[in-house]
Amino acid sequence: GAGVSQSPSNKVTEKGKDVELRCDPISGHTALYWYRQSLGQGLEFLIYFQGNSAPDKSGLPSDRFSAERTGGSVSTLTIQRTQQEDSAVYLCASSPSRVTEAFFGQGTRLTVV
Amino acid sequence: TQLLEQSPQFLSIQEGENLTVYCNSSSVFSSLQWYRQEPGEGPVLLVTVVTGGEVKKLKRLTFQFGDARKDSSLHITAAQPGDTGLYLCAGDGSGANSKLTFGKGITLSVRP
């Protein structure tokens, strides 16, 4: 597709379950970001991938959160043993290089019940 | 860590009013970007400012980059309900492993 694609668009899960969120960046974009956004709030940085460099994981809130980017393209954000406070919109963005314009997906709305 | 402080956090104004919002940091940025996010959507880039003192206009929106490249402002003339949204600024860091750093955003509501 032409833009950043995230799936699923909505996810409802029971507390304690694991979830996987997927991001398909724009083809050729080397930088990929994951952010979390609570209702009415700004962006909370989670993790950043740039090319073959080691990812910047400094924003991951706990060891229940992990992410990988396979082949420099698709990325998966995994949340283990979900908690109610994990409920939020998870946004993915990609960029042609390190600090040029970030193109965002429409996000995955995660609800933990 | 390079932080961007945006102010005010929330702003509610009447259609037709003018407003200015701010994005400030103690760090120098090579460039700074402004994004707008509408409900249910991801943020979309409005403008990138690169040169200290630069002013860019996008219809009724005027963006300015501070001379020292540490701060930026966004002025909206004659605000309209369609301007409602979350306005985010983002700055690029320095160094090979730096990344875009976003502020927390300014929630603007323009009442008809």
Side-chain angles (χ1 to χ4, degrees), chain A residues 16-66:
Chain A
K17 300 282 191 183
D18 298 351
V19 295
E20 284 190 352
L21 311 180
R22 178 187 169 103
C23 174
D24 282 273
I26 294 173
S27 178
H29 281 194
T30 59
L32 188 147
Y33 301 80
W34 281 99
Y35 294 92
R36 180 167 68 177
Q37 187 173 38
S38 299
L39 186 63
Q41 301 298 311
L43 302 183
E44 176 188 3
F45 166 73
L46 296 177
I47 189 168
Y48 165 61
F49 296 90
Q50 172 56 43
N52 295 320
S53 301
D56 178 348
K57 303 179 182 180
S58 60
L60 295 178
S62 77
D63 59 7
R64 296 186 296 105
F65 288 73
S66 63

Side-chain angles (χ1 to χ4, degrees), chain A residues 82-103:
Chain A
T82 52
Q83 304 293 315
Q84 288 186 328
E85 60 263 30
D86 299 335
S87 296
V89 174
Y90 289 82
L91 288 163
C92 174
S94 71
S95 178
S97 66
R98 183 172 56 82
V99 288
T100 53
E101 175 184 358
F103 295 80

Side-chain angles (χ1 to χ4, degrees), chain B:
Chain B
T1 302
Q2 296 173 304
L3 296 176
L4 284 165
E5 303 270 352
Q6 292 193 249
S7 60
Q9 187 176 358
F10 299 98
L11 188 58
S12 179
I13 62 170
Q14 199 71 35
E15 180 177 3
E17 293 183 3
N18 301 332
L19 66 117
T20 302
V21 295
Y22 303 91
C23 173
N24 296 307
S25 176
S26 58
S27 303
V28 175
F29 291 96
S30 298
S31 67
L32 199 139
Q33 301 171 4
W34 284 91
Y35 293 75
R36 180 168 66 206
Q37 184 182 24
E38 298 183 8
E41 303 289 330
V44 175
L45 181 71
L46 294 174
V47 77
T48 301
V49 286
V50 179
T51 306
E54 181 177 4
V55 176
K56 280 193 174 178
K57 292 192 174 184
L58 185 66
K59 297 182 181 179
R60 293 175 294 98
L61 278 58
T62 302
F63 304 84
Q64 184 162 8
F65 201 12
D67 290 342
R69 291 186 286 126
K70 292 182 179 181
D71 51 77
S72 180
S73 64
L74 160 59
H75 180 81
I76 301 179
T77 303
Q80 298 178 2
D83 296 327
T84 293
L86 178 69
Y87 289 80
L88 295 153
C89 66
D92 73 348
S94 58
N97 296 319
S98 63
K99 61 187 181 293
L100 277 179
T101 299
F102 280 84
K104 295 293 187 185
I106 296 162
T107 300
L108 172 65
S109 174
V110 182
R111 304 184 302 274

